[in-house]
Amino acid sequence: MKREQSIYWHFLCESCAEHLYLGHWGIIAEENKNLQPQGDEDPGKFKEAELKMRKQFGMPEGEKLVNYYSCSYWKGRVPRQGWLYLTVNHLCFYSFLLGKEVTLVVQWVDVTGLEKNATLLFPESIRVDTRDQELFFSMFLNIGETFKLMEQLANLAMRQLLDNEGFLEDKAPPRPAQPHRNISALKRDLDARAKNEYYRAMFRLPRDERLDGHTSCTLWTPFNKLHIPGQMFISSNYICFASKEEDSCHLIIPLREVTIVEKADSSSVLPSPLSISTKNKMTFLFANLKDRDFLVEKIADFLLKTSSKQPGDNSAGRKASVMDPAPESSQAPQEASEQPASPSSSCGGCQSSLAQEAPTASQGLLKLFRRNAPVEDLGAKRAKETMKEELWNIHFSEYGRGVCMYRTATTRDLVLKGIPEGLRGELWLLFSGAWNEMVTHPGYYSELVEKSTGRYSLATEEIERDLHRSMPEHPAFQNELGIAALRRVLTAYAFRNPTIGYCQAMNIVTSVLLLYGSEEEAFWLLVALCERMLPDYYNTRVVGALVDQGIFEELTRDFLPQLSEKMQDLGVIASISLSWFLTLFLSVMPFESAVVIVDCFFYEGIKVVLQLALAILDANMEKLLDCSDEGEAMTILGRYLDNVVNKQSVSPPIPHLHALLTSGDDPPEEVDIFDLLKVSYEKFSSLRADDIEQMRFKQRLKVIQSLEDTAKRSVVRAIPGDIGFSVEELEDLYMVFKAKHLASQYWGSSRPAAVRRDPSLPYLEQYRIDASQFQELFARLTPWACGAHTPVLAGRMFRLLDRNKDSLINFKEFVTGMSGMYHGDLTEKLKVLYKLHLPPALSPEEAESALEAAHYFTEDSSPEASPLASDLDLYLPWEAQEALQQEEGAGAGSEDVQGKGGEEKGTSPADYRHYLQMWAKEKEVQKETIKDLPKMNQMKKSLKWTCKACGEKQSFLRAYGEGSGADCRRHVQKLNLLQGQLSEASPSTQMTRNAPLAAEARPCWP
């Protein structure tokens, strides 16, 4: 017994040691490790589960299993114990218990809601909502891990539907060159991506930054003489620190600023200390580091790589070194052309070539167009501004200045009290992270300006239309200097990011950025705003703004339940929130007040905008509850916002365009913007960034699925009314068609249909399928499937529907073909069938083999057979054939001469092209009548040959007509009598071209 206990204890110690080592460093976090034993203990078992999943649910080889879990699916009130398989594109469940089998397959793109809850009926369960059903799963071994993974996969699917591939990286999970050997490999990739996104969002880092590892430690803060516990994060270009308490301390140290990394002597008070010095004479002391030697080696490697990236440096003799004995240090190379550590310093090599061309290349528009106000009016305001500047200078002396500044609760309080105008541009660059990107991309903006100058696009056209609508009340944009600067910045960004291009409201925000910064600084602030701080806000469908609008509605229900129902009835939230969020209140509030909100936004993010919006509704609750319609509520809110003032502003007041709303006998009293911000933090400060991100995921599912439903309805409305299908049938067909298109995104990256969807296209053109996908749908959905010849028939139908010859068909073309087969009368069905035996339905190989078919037709001596007059009869429209016969009859004196003339015309390339042009007119959309049918002796001949090719005449005629083959023949005879086109063609007439598939038909002939 003791021996067994000893062995177990030894195993437990080894496992804990592995957990301690991996848990404190690296993105392979043990807390995210799959707790089910079947995965990591036996990689072969996971492979077996993946093969079982593909066989059980019919998944192709390209579908990768991420993880699988044992759980229960609640069908009614009965739990079905089984296995939940989470793949990259699907959620699958299988259970076989007591002779009852349950199989579920749900695409992630169809998920409309995902929630973890606990009720009496479903204890600690996960609810998955789709358009058609609600699914409940429970009894997980680790429900937290399962739910997190499901969130990641659903989020990837929503991003695929959103399809902003250019600036939403990691759209699909990485696919390694070698297959994964254990259960956690692909899941580890997803966990790494989640950690990268969290790391970049927390410290406002560029989108290409990748987290290498993190470890717990303490940071010595000289301003309060404390060791603050937290986490150190290391990536290839940055060392960052975040305290355990959210507002205690944040620190960002770019490796380009690091000069020395030293390992100091350990002591009982300060174990494993590490000192990092920067160029601006700041030293940061970390302690309680685990595996300090490994950490120093990592930093030294990154310093070497960073030094090699610096422009104009000489890498020889610049190697970082670790010196012995203690204190050991790794010294970074000294830069030949040092980059500035703060926007307040000169930008050196970062200056654009535009500096010699335009004043806006070196300073903001506010400095160029500052109007001198009377001195007596600025006495108290100027003193207040001077006091703010002094407070910030004291803060810089204690907490540091520039990108390496300690960011604490004191910093946030100073921001809430207002940033001095002289520091506004500098601090915006630092807090948004735009400074890091500008310093590391010198000359990038000027290159974009040069490349985009003179270029024309839809975005530039929209920019030109909105230039003079951008803060026209401000003197800086009442002349060509400000307008030209705004044009260059917006055009450069549209050229950089064509996925967004230009969206209304970008002009208003950019004009404010230009007031406080140079063109290059405004450009990088716009990059930070559109691509990191307000993701998806300014795309074609303003998805990000709609997501935050949904969050605002949810917060209104939580914090203002009395007002929420009233606002929903009036429909006010949807009207106000978009303008508030898209322009950060700049379009609805006086400029001097709104710019204070922009200050807080660059430091706090979207949290402050949501808090402020709630405070505005709360301040007007009584008036809003008494409103009778939406217009009255909008007027109340508009009048309130117009009277939010900034009494501390030293700039001359700028007329606000919305001031007309304040006209009346009893205008509302003025509200100070700083008092409003204070109230918003006092009442709604419980909002946390993590909670907002969680709500964003929940709302993103709803918003994107709602947009997809809108697209579906738009596509269905675009289908002609005479198509034959009901609206419900068209919607069902659209979902099938869309699923087939998305399948090409999953597994068919080499297919034409796998080209990424362009959301800027009309809804009808966004989803398309290729020939192989159409063939699958044809075999499953159409009534014309006929055994082994189904692929050939499907290929011909696809070529017939593909009018623009791009090897893809859209939904309208798809349902047009389906309608002809399902809802067309016999005349239309016969017409479609005959077209399948003419170009363009024929492939080139089939057209070449048509000559062989002539021999088989002429050998047929059945009573129904009648010879065909000419090869052109099969290829030309029937009006052209009649014209041809009239021409031949008028120009020939005998039957022999007619035959000869017909043969010459049939073989003449010039005549052939002429009649093909006439035949092309048939492509025009028009209602086909019975007169459009071919001569029925030819139709019968073609049908008879095709029937023999299929080998089962009766079943084939039932597929295309009504009833038996005799019924179909009676229909043909009636049509012959109606048309009067039964021909008495000569048996000696030779046929030079005929229907294809002769080679396939040969074995079927007697």
Side-chain angles (χ1 to χ4, degrees):
M1 182 69 179
K2 290 184 179 180
R3 176 178 173 80
E4 293 179 356
Q5 292 177 347
S6 176
I7 293 175
Y8 177 77
W9 177 251
H10 179 70
F11 170 76
L12 183 62
C13 290
E14 288 184 348
S15 301
C16 292
E18 181 183 4
H19 175 81
L20 290 174
Y21 178 75
L22 292 178
H24 83 271
W25 183 259
I27 58 177
I28 310 173
E30 284 295 296
E31 61 268 20
N32 291 324
K33 188 176 180 180
N34 179 27
L35 297 182
Q36 299 191 65
Q38 74 275 3
D40 292 321
E41 291 183 0
D42 187 3
K45 196 169 185 180
F46 175 74
K47 190 67 176 178
E48 179 183 348
E50 188 172 33
L51 295 175
K52 182 179 179 182
M53 176 272 299
R54 290 184 184 142
K55 181 179 179 181
Q56 186 68 47
F57 304 103
M59 297 294 176
E61 188 72 21
E63 184 70 353
K64 301 296 182 182
L65 178 64
V66 181
N67 212 342
Y68 65 106
Y69 302 91
S70 174
C71 68
S72 293
Y73 163 62
W74 290 80
K75 190 172 184 180
R77 296 191 177 185
V78 180
R80 304 285 185 179
Q81 185 68 26
W83 290 96
L84 180 69
Y85 298 89
L86 304 181
T87 72
V88 175
N89 302 298
H90 296 84
L91 178 151
C92 307
F93 177 83
Y94 179 77
S95 172
F96 186 82
L97 194 64
L98 300 177
K100 294 185 177 180
E101 185 178 46
V102 177
T103 303
L104 290 174
V105 178
V106 178
Q107 293 189 78
W108 290 116
V109 293
D110 293 332
V111 174
T112 60
L114 191 62
E115 187 176 354
K116 182 173 65 173
N117 51 24
T119 61
L120 293 176
L121 183 60
F122 304 112
E124 203 175 23
S125 62
I126 296 176
R127 190 182 76 183
V128 181
D129 295 336
T130 66
R131 290 180 176 86
D132 305 323
Q133 55 187 337
E134 293 181 353
L135 308 175
F136 289 89
F137 301 93
S138 64
M139 300 182 186
F140 293 93
L141 294 179
N142 188 346
I143 191 172
E145 176 200 341
T146 308
F147 183 73
K148 182 179 178 181
L149 181 58
M150 294 170 74
E151 273 189 331
Q152 292 174 346
L153 294 172
N155 198 34
L156 284 176
M158 294 305 104
R159 290 186 175 186
Q160 183 186 31
L161 289 177
L162 183 60
D163 201 36
N164 47 355
E165 181 183 26
F167 287 84
L168 271 179
E169 60 197 16
D170 299 336
K171 176 184 166 187
R175 296 187 178 184
Q178 297 181 352
H180 299 298
R181 295 185 57 191
N182 57 59
I183 195 169
S184 61
L186 186 55
K187 182 178 180 298
R188 187 184 302 126
D189 292 336
L190 294 172
D191 291 339
R193 176 179 307 168
K195 287 178 177 288
N196 286 330
E197 292 176 352
Y198 176 77
Y199 171 62
R200 291 191 295 259
M202 180 186 295
F203 300 105
R204 309 277 172 80
L205 300 179
R207 296 193 68 86
D208 58 352
E209 197 66 21
R210 298 289 188 275
L211 178 65
D212 184 81
H214 60 89
T215 181
S216 60
C217 66
T218 59
L219 173 66
W220 169 255
T221 51
F223 49 86
N224 58 4
K225 306 296 189 293
L226 293 175
H227 289 280
I228 299 179
Q231 288 278 328
M232 174 191 283
F233 300 84
I234 306 292
S235 60
S236 57
N237 297 295
Y238 298 90
I239 300 173
C240 301
F241 174 84
S243 59
K244 288 186 178 180
E245 296 182 11
E246 186 177 3
D247 295 330
S248 182
C249 182
H250 271 213
L251 181 65
I252 302 172
I253 308 174
L255 292 182
R256 64 177 184 273
E257 299 292 327
V258 174
T259 56
I260 298 176
V261 179
E262 293 182 315
K263 292 189 292 184
D265 293 331
S266 298
S267 64
S268 58
V269 178
L270 202 63
S272 302
L274 180 67
S275 174
I276 300 177
S277 301
T278 62
K279 296 175 185 177
N280 58 350
K281 311 304 181 185
M282 294 184 69
T283 300
F284 305 96
L285 184 61
F286 299 91
N288 292 286
L289 290 163
K290 300 173 183 177
D291 202 358
R292 182 180 58 170
D293 295 338
F294 173 74
L295 179 61
V296 172
E297 291 178 5
K298 271 284 185 183
I299 296 175
D301 291 340
F302 288 140
L303 284 172
L304 281 175
K305 296 176 182 178
T306 303
S307 63
S308 64
K309 297 176 184 177
Q310 300 297 337
D313 65 340
N314 182 13
S315 58
R318 290 182 174 216
K319 296 181 179 179
S321 60
V322 179
M323 298 183 298
D324 283 319
E328 299 172 342
S329 66
S330 175
Q331 187 167 1
Q334 298 298 320
E335 304 298 333
S337 57
E338 293 191 357
Q339 296 173 335
S342 168
S344 61
S345 57
S346 61
C347 196
C350 298
Q351 287 293 337
S352 169
S353 61
L354 295 172
Q356 294 83 18
E357 301 175 9
T360 52
S362 57
Q363 57 184 329
L365 288 169
L366 201 61
K367 295 180 180 179
L368 297 173
F369 290 90
R370 186 185 299 276
R371 293 180 295 181
N372 296 323
V375 178
E376 61 272 16
D377 293 341
L378 294 179
K381 293 183 179 180
R382 178 59 64 187
K384 187 73 173 179
E385 187 78 0
T386 303
M387 186 174 66
K388 287 182 182 179
E389 293 175 354
E390 188 62 29
L391 287 175
W392 275 101
N393 288 330
I394 295 172
H395 184 272
F396 291 149
S397 63
E398 294 182 359
Y399 296 85
R401 184 168 188 170
V403 69
C404 298
M405 175 176 60
Y406 293 97
R407 307 179 190 198
T408 65
T410 305
T411 311
R412 187 195 65 185
D413 293 340
L414 283 177
V415 172
L416 290 177
K417 292 177 181 179
I419 298 177
E421 287 195 353
L423 297 175
R424 184 161 278 147
E426 172 188 347
L427 294 178
W428 283 3
L429 287 169
L430 291 178
F431 295 152
S432 66
W435 174 250
N436 288 321
E437 288 197 282
M438 188 174 76
V439 171
T440 54
H441 295 83
Y444 177 78
Y445 171 70
S446 59
E447 291 177 5
L448 280 180
V449 171
E450 293 175 3
K451 292 179 181 178
S452 60
T453 301
R455 297 287 188 92
Y456 175 81
S457 64
L458 180 61
T460 58
E461 181 181 349
E462 294 175 348
I463 289 170
E464 289 296 328
R465 186 169 57 246
D466 288 346
L467 282 176
H468 295 279
R469 305 174 187 172
S470 308
M471 294 189 66
E473 65 274 14
H474 198 285
F477 298 98
Q478 294 173 359
N479 62 85
E480 186 56 30
L481 181 62
I483 294 296
L486 181 60
R487 178 187 294 112
R488 284 191 291 268
V489 173
L490 291 175
T491 305
Y493 184 78
F495 193 80
R496 162 188 165 87
N497 188 351
T499 304
I500 293 178
Y502 172 76
C503 175
Q504 284 187 343
M506 287 174 64
N507 59 321
I508 297 175
V509 175
T510 307
S511 61
V512 176
L513 301 179
L514 280 168
L515 291 176
Y516 295 98
S518 65
E519 287 185 34
E520 187 174 16
E521 292 169 348
F523 170 79
W524 287 112
L525 283 169
L526 184 62
V527 170
L529 196 74
C530 296
E531 297 173 15
R532 296 198 305 274
M533 302 190 70
L534 295 177
D536 307 324
Y537 257 61
Y538 300 104
N539 57 23
T540 54
R541 297 186 286 180
V542 292
V543 173
L546 293 174
V547 169
D548 287 346
Q549 174 183 298
I551 295 176
F552 182 44
E553 293 179 0
E554 185 175 348
L555 293 175
T556 304
R557 288 193 296 270
D558 295 339
F559 289 99
L560 306 172
Q562 295 179 348
L563 185 60
S564 174
E565 185 176 353
K566 181 71 174 182
M567 297 291 283
Q568 291 293 336
D569 294 339
L570 298 177
V572 176
I573 290 183
S575 302
I576 62 176
S577 56
L578 280 182
S579 60
W580 292 4
F581 297 158
L582 280 172
T583 63
L584 302 176
F585 290 95
L586 288 167
S587 64
V588 296
M589 195 179 287
F591 168 75
E592 298 84 1
S593 304
V595 76
V596 177
I597 300 174
V598 179
D599 294 340
C600 301
F601 168 77
F602 278 124
Y603 188 82
E604 291 271 47
I606 194 63
K607 169 186 173 181
V608 68
V609 178
L610 293 169
Q611 289 180 177
L612 194 68
L614 290 171
I616 292 171
L617 293 184
D618 183 55
N620 294 274
M621 181 182 296
E622 294 182 2
K623 295 181 180 179
L624 292 173
L625 288 174
D626 294 335
C627 290
S628 58
D629 55 35
E630 179 185 0
E632 184 180 357
M634 294 289 290
T635 301
I636 291 173
L637 292 173
R639 287 164 62 88
Y640 179 85
L641 292 172
D642 279 330
N643 286 271
V644 177
V645 298
N646 180 6
K647 299 178 181 179
Q648 302 177 12
S649 175
V650 296
S651 298
I654 299 173
H656 187 47
L657 293 181
H658 288 251
L660 295 175
L661 292 172
T662 61
S663 60
D665 298 333
D666 187 20
E669 62 182 27
E670 292 182 345
V671 179
D672 189 86
I673 181 62
F674 296 103
D675 294 339
L676 184 59
L677 282 171
K678 182 180 179 181
V679 170
S680 71
Y681 272 87
E682 290 176 350
K683 291 189 175 181
F684 310 108
S685 60
S686 59
L687 282 178
R688 295 172 56 88
D690 295 342
D691 297 334
I692 292 175
E693 287 302 316
Q694 183 67 29
M695 286 188 287
R696 273 181 167 173
F697 164 76
K698 179 181 177 181
Q699 294 297 328
R700 190 179 293 115
L701 290 177
K702 295 181 180 178
V703 168
I704 295 182
Q705 295 294 3
S706 175
L707 291 174
E708 289 297 307
D709 291 340
T710 301
K712 177 177 66 176
R713 290 191 294 268
S714 299
V715 170
V716 170
R717 283 197 300 266
I719 304 301
D722 59 350
I723 207 68
F725 291 108
S726 65
V727 174
E728 291 76 14
E729 290 172 337
L730 285 174
E731 290 181 350
D732 292 340
L733 284 174
Y734 176 82
M735 297 305 297
V736 173
F737 187 87
K738 172 185 168 184
K740 187 58 65 176
H741 167 88
L742 292 175
S744 66
Q745 304 287 334
Y746 301 157
W747 312 304
S749 58
S750 60
R751 291 177 170 179
V755 178
R756 80 178 181 92
R757 180 172 61 96
D758 185 359
S760 64
L761 292 174
Y763 288 131
L764 196 60
E765 296 292 335
Q766 290 186 13
Y767 295 115
R768 296 179 294 176
I769 60 175
D770 57 22
S772 59
Q773 294 170 312
F774 177 79
Q775 179 178 320
E776 296 173 10
L777 293 179
F778 186 90
R780 290 169 49 193
L781 300 177
T782 65
W784 285 12
C786 53
H789 294 279
T790 299
V792 178
L793 197 61
R796 293 185 179 185
M797 180 63 77
F798 180 85
R799 288 188 290 272
L800 185 65
L801 297 175
D802 183 19
R803 294 175 178 265
N804 58 356
K805 307 304 177 189
D806 61 349
S807 300
L808 296 170
I809 61 172
N810 59 31
F811 181 69
K812 183 178 180 180
E813 294 167 336
F814 173 72
V815 296
T816 300
M818 293 286 294
S819 177
M821 289 180 278
Y822 270 105
H823 300 290
D825 55 20
L826 181 60
T827 303
E828 293 172 349
K829 290 180 180 179
L830 292 176
K831 182 71 173 178
V832 172
L833 174 61
Y834 194 75
K835 284 183 178 180
L836 294 181
H837 297 80
L838 301 175
L842 301 182
S843 65
E845 295 79 9
E846 291 170 339
E848 290 178 2
S849 65
L851 286 173
E852 259 185 276
H855 302 291
Y856 297 99
F857 279 106
T858 54
E859 291 174 3
D860 188 2
S861 58
S862 63
E864 296 183 14
S866 61
L868 300 180
S870 170
D871 61 320
L872 290 179
D873 289 340
L874 285 177
Y875 291 89
L876 302 181
W878 310 114
E879 296 85 350
Q881 294 175 22
E882 293 174 358
L884 176 60
Q885 292 173 0
Q886 292 175 4
E887 291 176 5
E888 291 176 347
S894 65
E895 186 174 343
D896 295 335
V897 176
Q898 288 179 3
K900 183 177 179 181
E903 183 177 352
E904 289 176 356
K905 284 183 178 292
T907 58
S908 171
D911 291 343
Y912 185 75
R913 288 194 297 268
H914 168 70
Y915 288 113
L916 283 179
Q917 291 174 0
M918 296 177 61
W919 172 83
K921 295 179 181 178
E922 197 179 53
K923 292 184 177 180
E924 298 178 0
V925 179
Q926 57 184 356
K927 180 68 176 178
E928 294 178 341
T929 64
I930 197 169
K931 295 181 179 180
D932 297 321
L933 284 174
K935 295 182 179 181
M936 296 311 299
N937 59 330
Q938 300 169 8
M939 175 65 80
K940 288 189 294 180
K941 189 64 180 179
S942 181
L943 280 174
K944 179 171 178 59
W945 172 83
T946 311
C947 293
K948 291 184 176 181
C950 289
E952 297 180 2
K953 178 177 178 180
Q954 299 297 329
S955 62
F956 188 82
L957 287 173
R958 289 193 193 99
Y960 292 97
E962 303 173 358
S964 65
D967 295 333
C968 185
R969 284 194 295 273
R970 284 196 294 272
H971 280 294
V972 170
Q973 292 172 3
K974 291 179 182 179
L975 291 172
N976 280 329
L977 293 174
L978 288 172
Q979 287 187 310
Q981 293 181 344
L982 285 172
S983 62
E984 299 292 341
S986 173
S988 62
T989 304
Q990 294 294 327
M991 203 176 65
T992 57
R993 294 181 186 265
N994 255 312
L997 292 176
E1000 299 175 16
R1002 184 180 295 114
C1004 301
W1005 288 89

